[in-house]
Amino acid sequence: MNEQPAQASNPPAHTYDFDLIVIGGGSGGVRCARMAARLGVRVACIESRFWGGTCVNVGCVPKKLYAIGSAFSTSVARARGFGWEVQEPSLRWEHLQAAVHKEVNRLSGVYDNILDSAGVTRLWGKASLAGKHKVEVDGRVITAQFIVIATGAHSRIPNLPGIEHTITSDGFFAMQNKPARAIVIGGGYIAVELASILAAAGSEVTILYRGETVLRGFDDEVREHLQGVLQARGIRILTHAQVASIDKAESGYRVTFAPDAGVHGVAIEADCVINATGRTPNSASLNLGAAEIEPDGSGAISVDEHFRTSTPNIFAVGDVLHRMQLTPVALAEGMYVAHYLFGKKAPAPIQYGCVASTVFSQPQVASVGLTEQACMVRGRKFRVYRSRFTPMQQVFANRQEKTFLKMLVDDASDVVLGIHIIGDDAGEIMQGFAAAMVCGATKAQLDATIGIHPTIAEELVTMREVSETVDPLS
Ligand code: NDP
């Protein structure tokens, strides 16, 4: 175990039922529990909803399957340009839903098995803290030297009249029929992903977003490019739209919103209204006070660089931290804590600065590192490289969409600061470049890389022309 002041002041490990109790059987919790068990300690993992957590059951996995399933409509449209004679495609939603469910159930079962085969004691029930070393699971109290909270997050439900008429991403995956008309409230990851799936599946989709351009936090040019492409693909995006209420209509639901400050009463109707306004950490029912832990105003638990809470033997990982709500980050954090507590040597710190993420909108948006706006705040001279082109997949299509690539490079050191891609398979392309950035890649090193021709990815190693050099201080 590595640098643990907690252990010295506590009773010996054998006085507890377990060495480690992990609350939450999602990505971060399962990884932490498995790794700790492999390191030879006695671990219990508690779950109350589904093994595998949000990612497997109502998140990344079903979302990606729906994205793949719905995107065939675009492939069919492009195929015509290559000479295929195909009828107007139509998606049997109920087939897709059943297929996805089956796969999700299979994967959730895999999670049961991997915990069992690692020797983790699986406990089913709602867990809460009953002290610094005590966890209550449905009336039974168990003890451990260390506790890891990995309870994830749930969809935020804004306080709006009629919000009960909306569904969240959980409800989306349970939907047995495709809505003819859908309204999505929000402009983040989930909003653009679900809107893209429905639009590709043939629904009439409207995004109601309270801001100017979707995907706040991403590079501004990327956001503008994506918004334009989504609109060109038929998604109606109403911006500055402050939703006031949701009511039942004769057929479906009516959403009333203010399109601009001071203007009220604009209403649109749809068969389904999806609330995608963010996610809140699952901490409210944990009785954190029993272990002297105070969550912040959003419910997030604060931790130090080792994921230790204010109570030294209690750790927290994943979405309950409200840092980077991404499955691979939760996995890395879970693994870090297991090794930190029980491993032979200290684990390497997680490099949050080079975590790539992909929004599985259609087209995808992949980003790693800094945005141009973050480079401005950083205050050091940087170069911007951009490329917009029509990829080969689309050259014969009736409606062409530009792929957009952008790279930001520190002018003095030549180190790549950020890469952003909008286009087909952006996520697949980005993973390798994220690895290069973890290695501290410079622009000269990318230039020295021979491209794979003809691919979209090769553009990132052939960007010779500087679009502009920006000095934030001038
Ligand atoms: P996001 O935080 O990404 O987006 C929330 C959206 O809802 C924003 O557009 C926000 O507007 C808007 N919003 C917030 N509150 C209100 C309100 N009261 N009324 C109207 N609009 C509101 O949350 P998501 O739920 O989409 O996703 C949560 C997190 O999960 C993501 O941040 C990401 O980390 C993770 N995730 C990752 C995925 C991936 O890796 N592909 C996929 C899905 C989720 P504003 O911009 O003005 O704040």
Side-chain angles (χ1 to χ4, degrees):
M1 196 169 53
N2 304 299
E3 14 159 345
Q4 287 160 17
Q7 191 190 34
S9 57
N10 285 320
H14 63 263
T15 60
Y16 300 110
D17 300 325
F18 295 96
D19 301 304
L20 173 69
I21 294 174
V22 178
I23 306 178
S27 304
V30 167
R31 180 60 65 90
C32 183
R34 268 177 68 211
M35 289 299 143
R38 274 208 207 157
L39 292 167
V41 300
R42 300 164 308 145
V43 186
C45 185
I46 309 167
E47 172 58 45
S48 64
R49 195 174 174 205
F50 24 48
W51 295 104
T54 298
C55 169
V56 172
N57 294 278
V58 283
C60 323
V61 170
K63 179 271 310 290
K64 183 82 190 278
L65 290 169
Y66 274 95
I68 293 168
S70 60
F72 285 111
S73 59
T74 308
S75 309
V76 167
R78 290 178 186 173
R80 292 198 179 98
F82 285 86
W84 286 88
E85 282 183 18
V86 268
Q87 292 174 348
E88 208 44 51
S90 113
L91 174 65
R92 284 194 294 127
W93 185 272
E94 64 286 2
H95 177 103
L96 177 59
Q97 204 243 357
V100 172
H101 254 246
K102 197 168 160 202
E103 176 59 7
V104 163
N105 286 339
R106 186 188 71 78
L107 282 173
S108 192
V110 168
Y111 269 77
D112 296 11
N113 291 336
I114 54 177
L115 284 173
D116 291 348
S117 57
V120 174
T121 301
R122 282 193 294 128
L123 299 174
W124 188 257
K126 201 90 186 131
S128 59
L129 297 175
K132 290 183 180 173
H133 294 272
K134 288 184 187 161
V135 175
E136 188 178 326
V137 197
D138 287 343
R140 173 185 166 201
V141 174
I142 52 172
T143 59
Q145 187 180 10
F146 296 104
I147 295 169
V148 171
I149 300 169
T151 44
H154 62 275
S155 300
R156 179 183 302 140
I157 309 293
N159 188 12
L160 282 173
I163 194 70
E164 67 277 9
H165 298 309
T166 64
I167 59 169
T168 63
S169 48
D170 289 9
F172 176 90
F173 296 122
M175 230 165 39
Q176 290 183 346
N177 298 300
K178 185 187 74 180
R181 303 161 303 166
I183 293 171
V184 182
I185 305 173
Y189 275 78
I190 295 179
V192 297
E193 289 181 345
L194 300 189
S196 294
I197 290 168
L198 287 169
S203 300
E204 191 186 297
V205 183
T206 303
I207 289 178
L208 290 181
Y209 178 47
R210 66 181 180 180
E212 169 80 29
T213 317
V214 294
L215 288 189
R216 190 165 61 82
F218 281 72
D219 187 276
D220 282 353
E221 267 182 297
V222 168
R223 298 168 67 197
E224 278 153 27
H225 186 99
L226 178 75
Q227 187 150 308
V229 175
L230 293 179
Q231 286 166 327
R233 285 193 179 206
I235 298 176
R236 182 161 62 145
I237 302 179
L238 302 179
T239 56
H240 302 291
Q242 293 285 354
V243 174
S245 63
I246 303 109
D247 303 289
K248 261 192 115 28
E250 207 165 298
S251 155
Y253 302 96
R254 183 183 311 107
V255 179
T256 307
F257 63 98
D260 282 302
V263 181
H264 290 283
V266 176
I268 54 171
E269 291 187 10
D271 307 299
C272 158
V273 183
I274 301 171
N275 159 37
T277 54
R279 292 181 65 79
T280 302
N282 289 328
S283 64
S285 64
L286 282 174
N287 193 24
L288 292 172
E292 294 172 16
I293 298 170
E294 182 76 40
D296 72 13
S298 73
I301 297 176
S302 303
V303 291
D304 67 10
E305 72 274 26
H306 302 302
F307 305 98
R308 195 191 295 269
T309 66
S310 52
T311 295
N313 69 301
I314 303 185
F315 293 70
V317 298
D319 288 4
V320 75
L321 306 181
H322 214 322
R323 278 182 176 177
M324 276 186 147
Q325 296 188 316
L326 298 171
T327 292
V329 170
L331 293 172
E333 292 171 348
M335 190 132 81
Y336 180 98
V337 171
H339 283 279
Y340 176 70
L341 291 176
F342 307 112
K344 287 203 173 68
K345 60 181 176 94
I350 296 171
Q351 294 196 37
Y352 289 98
C354 292
V355 175
S357 81
T358 295
V359 184
F360 290 96
S361 46
Q362 298 179 31
Q364 296 176 5
V365 177
S367 285
V368 63
L370 301 184
T371 61
E372 183 168 346
Q373 293 66 48
C375 289
M376 291 298 288
V377 173
R378 186 171 166 266
R380 293 189 357 218
K381 207 167 162 186
F382 62 95
R383 280 172 265 140
V384 183
Y385 298 81
R386 288 189 193 87
S387 176
R388 282 190 176 82
F389 59 96
T390 305
M392 273 186 168
Q393 287 87 337
Q394 299 187 36
V395 284
F396 304 135
N398 276 342
R399 191 178 51 76
Q400 292 178 352
E401 245 168 40
K402 298 274 186 228
T403 288
F404 177 55
L405 306 176
K406 180 169 177 180
M407 189 182 297
L408 301 149
V409 177
D410 181 68
D411 195 50
S413 65
D414 201 41
V415 167
V416 178
L417 300 172
I419 302 178
H420 308 274
I421 309 173
I422 301 182
D424 291 344
D425 298 321
E428 300 291 344
I429 295 167
M430 188 59 92
Q431 188 65 82
F433 284 94
M437 279 184 60
V438 169
C439 298
T442 61
K443 180 71 171 65
Q445 287 168 329
L446 295 188
D447 291 345
T449 307
I450 306 292
I452 302 168
H453 186 69
T455 61
I456 292 172
E458 72 175 317
E459 278 295 312
L460 288 171
V461 295
T462 54
M463 289 176 136
R464 300 282 184 257
E465 297 287 315
V466 182
S467 302
E468 69 234 14
T469 301
V470 182
D471 186 349
L473 300 179
S474 68

